[in-house]
Amino acid sequence: MAGKKRLSAAERRERIVAAATGLIAGRGYADAPIDAIARDAGVSPPVLYDHFASKLALYEAVLDSHFANLRAIWGARFPAAELSAESVAASFDAWFAYVEANPDAARILFREPADADAAAIHRAVSERSRALVLQPLLGMSASAPLTGTDADLEMTWVVLRGVLQGLALWWVDHPDVPRERVVATALGSLWHGWGSLLGGA
């Protein structure tokens, strides 16, 4: 009988991140032990530590992975010019589609853990991701159609993040609500002021 196919290092790492995502989302950071994460990933704790030096390093990798996926959605979908309610709605729909497919990621990304060390990691990774998303938007402030100052745009991002993340956390606990209703609520909450700031579209 042929033996099992040996996983590559990247595949093992991906499995570990997926297992950690599920356990941390379900139990919380403090109550998701390394042994349980390793077991769910199908590896031994020493193999897990070959990939991640500590539980905090694994947690940071989990956050980085899911924030990177959401940034990719903004990068691919967010309209850089000729903003309209329709184009922004399409961007929101893609963002919420990721949340729909990855509810555990939303629980981890948008809730800060009680553990002080993990909370510090969460804030640091969130800030890095925010800067990577915000930088292109701020860079557009000198050209049409944007009309706000950098501070205006940054405040707009704070509101955008609050609405989207708040809705995401509510939605993962109310999955019976259709995605189109969640997108419509986000658009209705954000577009009037946002459209005025970004040129009155």
Side-chain angles (χ1 to χ4, degrees), residues 75-100:
R77 298 277 186 167
F78 192 81
E82 299 182 6
L83 289 168
S84 67
E86 292 75 17
S87 61
V88 172
S91 299
F92 286 0
D93 184 67
W95 193 90
F96 279 110
Y98 186 83
V99 171
E100 186 173 31

Side-chain angles (χ1 to χ4, degrees), residues 43-134:
V43 302
S44 66
V47 169
L48 187 152
Y49 282 120
D50 284 342
H51 293 272
F52 303 98
S54 65
K55 184 179 173 183
L56 279 173
L58 172 56
Y59 179 60
E60 184 171 10
V62 167
L63 294 171
D64 274 328
S65 174
H66 291 295
F67 271 129
N69 290 339
L70 287 175
R71 287 197 306 273
I73 291 171
W74 285 126
R77 298 277 186 167
F78 192 81
E82 299 182 6
L83 289 168
S84 67
E86 292 75 17
S87 61
V88 172
S91 299
F92 286 0
D93 184 67
W95 193 90
F96 279 110
Y98 186 83
V99 171
E100 186 173 31
N102 300 275
D104 285 341
R107 292 184 178 99
I108 289 177
L109 294 180
F110 308 144
R111 286 180 181 149
E112 189 172 293
D115 179 270
D117 291 334
I121 292 291
H122 191 282
R123 287 191 294 271
V125 176
S126 297
E127 177 60 24
R128 288 201 303 266
S129 188
R130 184 199 70 87
L132 288 169
V133 172
L134 191 57

